[in-house]
Each structure stands twice: as structure tokens, then as C-alpha cells.
Amino acid sequence: MSSESNESAPAESPFRHESTARDEAPQYVLPLVVRIEKAAPPTRTDALETAARAVLTLLSDERALGEGEIEGEWAQAVRNWQDARIRKVVRRARGAEWRRACTLPGITVTGRGPLAQAPASDGAPVADGTPTPEAGASSSVAEVRVFPPVPLDGWPKELAKLQVSGTDLDDPAPPPPADPAHPVLWLSPDLDMSAGKAMAQAGHGAQLAWWELPETDRASWRDAGFPLSVRTADPAHWRQLTTAGLPVVRDAGFTEIAAGSCTVVADHPSLRR
């Protein structure tokens, strides 16, 4: 569940699947841990959307920003990560594993829960806010904890022990149509990805949109709580999206799918042409 590429990116972009000078730099990874309890796992769409918001929450956090004497405590790690390949790895945890993971520096972001008929614009609780799930729902509100980047071979032991596999999640009912007034991260209809892989791809798409936005639009998105939807496009719409000049994520081929596969298009209203 790792680094991807933007189709229109320059040669030295961290989002190309071809080898670049970035491959010679020390490699870092952004760890994301999704809470999956046996009795009440989150729904797939809620987990994907929460992972995307988690990436945005970290990128905009004051601890990840700044330079020199006024930089945040995570800023150097974020720069190291962004100067090399942009890798994200999603692992799962439950019970005591989750509690141990939460003792490490990071940010826990929560989702909307199994609200299959809720409008896509309904709130965007982040940074430990917990919405109330639908009465009688068998699924829990998604919880994703994002951590500052770590060296590829230097994971904290509390995270290194967690499993990457086993992140297969389902939606009990089809999610409602995406609200076009808010950003939509469109998944390819041609690829079969595990939930963990798709969470990483959604995070890449959100990051590409964040990078391309002007500061005023970033601030507006952040202040609104990063509203967004993750949906799978139908084939005809997908063909339109991939030629619309929007940020496109292409997989580096490390896991699950072939290198160069287009996985996500980041459809932010401010980036539409």
C-alpha cells in the first residue's frame, strides 16, 4: 500500500512509478493504522474517507509545518518523506494493539460511521471527534491514527508488529451519491483493491489535491473539517475524469496491482477546469 504517481507530474515528482533521483534518497513511510474490532469493524467507505482526512490532517498540522527555529516537531520527518518516494502503509489493530498504537505521537481521526444514507456533505469529524453511529448499526465509526513519517526500515515496535493483511471491509449498502460541491476522490472501476490498499490510494489522492490548491483554498478546506467523499467511478465517468486535467494517482507497483495503474482521480471543485 505504497507510493504512487501523478500522470502530469515532472520527472522528479515523488508520484511517478518510473525510477527517479528520489529513489536514491533515504526512504520514509507515512504509517496509518485503522482500528478493526472483530465485533464491529468500520464500513469500507467510512474507512477510506477517514484515511484521506487523516493524511490531510497531518499535512496541515502545525507540528508538520515550518522551517528553522519555528518549525514543528514533525516538520523534518515530513520533509524527509516528501523528498523521497511518497509511501503510505496501512496496518490494522484492535484491542490492546490499538491502545498501544495510540500511545505513540500521532493524530486519531474519526469518520461518520455506518450512515449509508447520510448526505456526503454531512460534517467531517476529525482529530478525535466521535460522531454517533446509526442506531442498531453493526459497524463502528471508522478510526484511523496517522503518525509522523518514519524510515522505511525503522518502524516503532508498537507499529511494526501490526498486520497489513486483513483489512477487507465492506459497505452494508451502497454509499449515497457524492456531493459535487465537495471534493471527491474517485477510485478506478477497473481495479480490485483491498480496503487497506484503497485507503492508501485515497490518501495519495487527497495529498495531490492538497499540493495543487492555493493557500486560501487549503485554509477553507481545513477550516471546514476536510469534507470529502470516496466513490468508485462508473467506466464512462472514469474515462472523462482521467482526461480532465485533475490530479491522477498511478501506482508504483509495490503491492497488489501493476506499476503505472491509475487508481484515483482527485476531483476538488477548485481544481476543475
Side-chain angles (χ1 to χ4, degrees):
M1 304 160 195
S2 40
S3 74
E4 322 305 309
S5 66
N6 182 358
E7 184 178 45
S8 59
E12 290 304 304
S13 169
F15 287 101
R16 291 185 69 89
H17 62 279
E18 300 91 343
S19 295
T20 74
R22 289 178 178 273
D23 294 302
E24 304 303 318
Q27 299 295 300
Y28 281 70
V29 62
L30 186 76
L32 297 112
V33 175
V34 56
R35 184 178 185 181
I36 302 181
E37 300 290 347
K38 288 184 179 179
T43 61
R44 180 183 175 97
T45 295
D46 195 28
L48 267 59
E49 293 176 348
T50 305
R53 292 190 188 99
V55 171
L56 293 166
T57 301
L58 180 129
L59 290 172
S60 62
D61 191 279
E62 62 182 10
R63 288 167 289 185
L65 303 174
E67 295 183 2
E69 295 182 358
I70 60 173
E71 74 175 13
E73 61 193 275
W74 300 342
Q76 184 60 57
V78 170
R79 281 199 300 274
N80 291 342
W81 171 57
Q82 294 187 132
D83 285 346
R85 287 287 186 175
I86 301 297
R87 297 175 183 246
K88 300 178 182 72
V89 172
V90 178
R91 296 177 183 253
R92 62 178 173 88
R94 62 171 63 100
E97 295 173 331
W98 173 257
R99 292 190 292 273
R100 284 193 293 270
C102 288
T103 64
L104 299 178
I107 306 169
T108 297
V109 176
T110 59
R112 290 194 303 265
L115 305 177
Q117 300 305 314
S121 58
D122 276 3
V126 298
D128 302 309
T130 304
T132 302
E134 188 176 60
S138 60
S139 300
S140 66
V141 174
E143 293 181 78
V144 176
R145 189 164 181 86
V146 59
F147 303 86
V150 298
L152 189 60
D153 58 356
W155 284 66
K157 65 179 185 300
E158 293 89 347
L159 303 184
K161 295 178 180 179
L162 301 179
Q163 296 296 309
V164 175
S165 60
T167 55
D168 294 326
L169 302 171
D170 297 310
D171 286 317
D179 184 346
H182 294 293
V184 185
L185 303 173
W186 292 104
L187 301 177
S188 169
D190 303 322
L191 299 173
D192 183 17
M193 295 183 283
S194 68
K197 178 74 173 179
M199 288 170 69
Q201 305 307 302
H204 288 314
Q207 186 169 5
L208 280 180
W210 179 257
W211 280 350
E212 293 204 16
L213 288 172
E215 187 56 41
T216 54
D217 288 329
R218 287 184 180 183
S220 296
W221 198 13
R222 180 192 63 233
D223 294 345
F226 294 120
L228 58 84
S229 299
V230 178
R231 298 290 187 272
T232 299
D234 65 57
H237 187 206
W238 181 248
R239 288 192 292 272
Q240 295 173 355
L241 288 165
T242 55
T243 58
L246 294 165
V248 178
V249 178
R250 291 186 180 273
D251 195 71
F254 293 123
T255 61
E256 294 194 25
I257 57 179
S261 299
C262 181
T263 58
V264 177
V265 174
D267 182 14
H268 191 289
S270 296
L271 299 178
R272 294 170 191 157
R273 298 172 183 174

